[in-house]
Amino acid sequence: IPQKPWFYDLREVWKGYPIQSMLPSQYWYYMIELSFYWSLLFSIASDVKRKDFKEQIIHHVATIILISFSWFANYVRAGTLIMALHDSSDYLLESAKMFNYAGWRNTCNNIFIVFAAVFIITRLVILPFWIMHCTVFYPLDLYPPFFGYYFFNFMMVVLQSLHIFWAYLIIRMAQKFITGKVVEDERSDREETDNSEEEEEVAKNGPLSNGHPVLNNNHRKTD
């Protein structure tokens, strides 16, 4: 992406549109991203259902529609910029998760702070004020708006709304990281947390009965 002229001059995104050549790198980038989001959509049903389950479904469906439509409408240059912008923060989040699972909490916290900053800059600043400005205003200099123009930008507004929602949750978590408070995923339901605590209790004390450990008959049960 940094080697392309439209990375530095967004008006180059529409130069020569709708007749623009397809580069092999663009083709494979689209195929990999589309496959990835289809896999997320299929796997989310078996994943832990958090508070933002519906938002996740909307996000994956909207992303698949945007990738597919931009391919058919030859919005490929704009599409690659949008995907690269999203990927710039996603790999940081996945890295933070890996270190969290490995028990490296300090490393996880530090990476999450960087992720939060990159997420806010890319999705709340660059995306609406550069990329969406490019897709909303620049095409009007070349051709009159048509259904695809309105549809593409409407789906971009849907994504941006989700970004604002997740940015709120991310900022809340980042504040807890900075203040040193014990952090749990802001998307977690209370029931999910209770179940996790109960599973930990089972691991320590054995099976539970009515919320209390089932004790050996040789021991007197206490409250």
Side-chain angles (χ1 to χ4, degrees), residues 6 37 78 80 82 102 121 158 183 210 221:
W6 52 87
Y37 281 104
T80 52
I82 294 169
I121 292 172
V158 172
V183 178
N210 297 327
K221 181 177 179 180

Side-chain angles (χ1 to χ4, degrees), residues 95-109:
S95 299
K97 288 181 180 179
M98 291 171 60
F99 284 109
N100 181 51
Y101 297 149
W104 294 29
R105 293 301 175 85
N106 289 334
T107 304
C108 167
N109 294 353

Side-chain angles (χ1 to χ4, degrees), residues 58-212:
I58 294 173
H59 175 268
H60 298 339
V61 172
T63 302
I64 290 171
I65 291 174
L66 271 171
I67 293 176
S68 302
F69 178 81
S70 64
W71 174 269
F72 290 121
N74 205 20
Y75 279 27
V76 173
R77 293 182 180 179
T80 52
L81 288 177
I82 294 169
M83 292 188 296
L85 194 69
H86 284 71
D87 291 341
S88 63
S89 61
D90 284 349
Y91 81 92
L92 290 169
L93 178 61
E94 300 303 328
S95 299
K97 288 181 180 179
M98 291 171 60
F99 284 109
N100 181 51
Y101 297 149
W104 294 29
R105 293 301 175 85
N106 289 334
T107 304
C108 167
N109 294 353
N110 293 332
I111 294 178
F112 187 86
I113 296 299
V114 176
F115 157 75
V118 174
F119 183 96
I120 292 171
I121 292 172
T122 56
R123 304 199 190 190
L124 299 187
V125 179
I126 296 178
L127 184 64
F129 295 106
W130 272 270
I131 304 300
M132 291 182 66
H133 183 271
C134 170
T135 61
V136 171
F137 295 104
Y138 292 170
L140 300 179
D141 296 334
L142 302 175
Y143 56 83
F146 64 108
F147 169 77
Y149 165 85
Y150 292 112
F151 179 76
F152 181 85
N153 286 294
F154 170 75
M155 297 305 296
M156 288 293 295
V157 171
V158 172
L159 279 186
Q160 187 59 35
S161 301
L162 293 172
H163 294 158
I164 295 172
F165 168 74
W166 280 316
Y168 168 73
L169 299 181
I170 289 170
I171 291 173
R172 286 181 57 180
M173 291 183 66
Q175 287 177 336
K176 293 180 180 180
F177 280 131
I178 294 173
T179 57
K181 295 180 180 179
V182 177
V183 178
E184 66 180 31
D185 197 329
E186 287 288 344
R187 303 171 301 160
S188 299
D189 287 325
R190 185 68 251 171
E191 291 81 2
E192 179 189 332
T193 306
D194 293 341
N195 289 340
S196 299
E197 293 173 352
E198 183 174 313
E199 290 172 0
E200 292 178 1
E201 193 69 24
V202 170
K204 294 178 181 178
N205 302 320
L208 300 179
S209 176
N210 297 327
H212 297 281

Side-chain angles (χ1 to χ4, degrees), residues 29-68:
Y29 194 18
Y30 260 76
M31 294 303 104
I32 293 172
E33 288 282 329
L34 187 60
S35 302
F36 172 68
Y37 281 104
W38 271 113
S39 70
L40 288 181
L41 186 61
F42 287 137
S43 63
I44 194 172
S46 59
D47 198 358
V48 175
K49 289 182 174 59
R50 303 184 186 276
K51 289 180 181 178
D52 65 344
F53 177 77
K54 293 180 180 179
E55 288 81 4
Q56 289 278 2
I57 293 291
I58 294 173
H59 175 268
H60 298 339
V61 172
T63 302
I64 290 171
I65 291 174
L66 271 171
I67 293 176
S68 302

